[in-house]
Amino acid sequence: MLVNRLLGTEELPSLAQLHLRKVLTLGMLISFLMSLSNTFGVLYAIDKIGYTLAATCTSIMLLTQLIFDYPSGSLGDWIGQRWVLAIAFSCYSFTFFLLISANSFMDFAFLNIINGFGNAQSSGAFETWVDNNYREMVGENDLDRRIYGFTMGRISSLTNLSLGASFLIGGALSTTFDRPFVFRIQFILALIVVVLIVIFIKDFNKKSTTTLSHSSLRDYLNFLVGGFKFLLSNRVNFFFIIGLSFYNVTWLIWGTLILFPIYFGYTGSDILASTLRTVLFFVGIPVSFFMANVIKKISNKRLNFFIFLQIILFFPSFIVLTHFIPPNNQFNPIGILGTFLLLATLVGLVFDVSRTLSQRILLDLIPSNNRNAVYSLMPSIVSFIGIFILPFAGSAVDNFGLPIGIFIAGLVCIFSLFLLLQSHFASSSPPNS
């Protein structure tokens, strides 16, 4: 089958091939839904209430997610990922409905509470369903996880097709009609996704720990404690999970406060900003396809090296770009060209490698029966840090401009690398040292 050849899964059992085709289909559909207003969603809030209050609303969302995230992850381990994902997309549907008429800080604060609760349900749930079923289906066929890493890279590349189309369609609809019109479409699509999740997200092994067979409260409490036990079980686990969480905080700052103001700041309109993102994603697809073959040959131990490359290449480049060519919400061909060149090269050649290597490490590092809890624990840590750092970073951008926000994101990334290095050193040390 062409799809199997494209994903590199021909050596895997037929059930694993079917599972990964399902992952690709659902992933593309969910990405399309959630990204339809992604380019201008943050700008919509900033335009209504400003950088500082928009960042504060994001912190409210993160606080809500922090409160419910880890218990929801344990719930997913207990009753199954299907049900928590259904709850999540029901919340997303309601959030899009509220966005249609949101105008004040209180409006955005309330919908961010709903969105945060939805994020708490969804965080790590889809990935847990993917990874747990993959481990059971492949058996002894992919012990070094090279096929897994290659396939996840290919799925990510193909998902970018859906993302690119979503950005372009969303920007065109927003420009032709208005932004709330796009939110109405997402409200309806999210309800459809809820139905598809209930139908298609099922577990391979009905006796596994991700099904509804766990009925007692004691089972749930065991899952609730299990994630923390894993985190604190040794220095390797602790520093890797905390380090990876700080690494994700870096991109939380980038995605919340920096990326979309750059897109809009150099293009001046929703449709041009969406077009720029679409072109970038389409250009990134062949790069990602090529890198999937390269990553297959790269050891997991090189993760820290590629994060180091991001620190010395990515953040300084954007600081220089935004300092000398400040985004001013007008069409700026030089700014567009600079953004295009930096993102087209650095994302595919550096960021995608780091993401795939970290996925490969997590697949075997985390036990299946606590995977959803741990996958939710990391966003909980991200949310806790983000609650404090986002308002600070938002205020800094308001007062000093985008370069200072990029600098703050870079500092967080440096700290994440320091923690990940501690995990590496701990894994290299003799057991009794």
Side-chain angles (χ1 to χ4, degrees), residues 131-145:
D131 289 356
N132 281 353
N133 284 278
Y134 180 84
R135 285 182 62 171
E136 293 197 33
M137 289 175 177
V138 299
E140 304 293 317
N141 289 277
D142 185 27
L143 293 178
D144 60 0
R145 306 311 185 196

Side-chain angles (χ1 to χ4, degrees), residues 65-108:
Q65 184 172 343
L66 175 64
I67 293 171
F68 294 103
D69 206 333
Y70 184 72
S72 298
S74 302
L75 183 66
D77 285 327
W78 185 39
I79 67 172
Q81 284 71 48
R82 177 201 302 186
W83 306 110
V84 292
L85 282 170
I87 295 171
F89 280 87
S90 297
C91 291
Y92 294 148
S93 180
F94 189 37
T95 298
F96 292 129
F97 176 76
L98 294 174
L99 264 172
I100 295 170
S101 57
N103 283 296
S104 67
F105 170 74
M106 292 303 296
D107 291 339
F108 282 98

